[in-house]
Amino acid sequence: MKQKSTDRPFERVWAILLRVPRGRVVTYGQLSEMIDRRLSPVGIGWAIRAAPEDALPWHRVINSLGEVSTERAHPGLQRSMLEAEGVSFDDSGRVDLKRYAWRPRKR
């Protein structure tokens, strides 16, 4: 029996992340909510890392504080990619989620 897309949380995360427009961000927690909490926010990170290389705009996913979470692995990369799309950071290195958070229309 073929699995439904709702049975594939990684693929659901990927499909949603592909819809996040340039200059907008989404949090790991938001993505978790969008897939009915089938994955925790940490699981969302696993899903993103499991995608084929360069298949997703991974840099548009930040933590619930508005901070990038990839500094250890890739110092400065995620921030510079977001800034290139017009996303601004405050003096403490945070994105204003009220201004830049993506809020998709209900389907």
Side-chain angles (χ1 to χ4, degrees):
M1 185 160 130
K2 187 176 177 183
Q3 287 185 322
K4 295 179 182 178
S5 65
T6 57
D7 296 331
R8 299 174 167 175
F10 278 28
E11 290 179 12
R12 289 179 65 195
V13 170
W14 300 346
I16 293 167
L17 191 47
L18 287 170
R19 294 177 41 220
V20 179
R22 288 178 56 83
R24 295 290 175 195
V25 296
V26 64
T27 68
Y28 295 95
Q30 274 182 282
L31 287 170
S32 177
E33 291 285 331
M34 290 177 188
I35 64 163
D36 304 317
R37 294 183 188 251
R38 295 283 312 274
L39 295 171
S40 69
V42 170
I44 297 297
W46 295 337
I48 294 167
R49 283 189 295 277
E53 191 171 338
D54 298 325
L56 299 175
W58 61 269
H59 62 285
R60 295 181 186 147
V61 184
I62 61 176
N63 69 31
S64 63
L65 298 174
E67 300 169 337
V68 299
S69 296
T70 60
E71 276 304 296
R72 284 187 185 170
H74 308 285
L77 178 62
Q78 185 175 9
R79 180 174 174 152
S80 67
M81 292 173 78
L82 288 170
E83 287 175 333
E85 293 185 358
V87 176
S88 296
F89 289 77
D90 66 17
D91 292 338
S92 63
R94 293 183 176 170
V95 171
D96 181 351
L97 291 174
K98 289 181 182 175
R99 180 175 180 189
Y100 293 105
W102 177 59
R103 291 174 182 80
R105 292 189 186 126
K106 298 286 183 191
R107 286 186 166 193

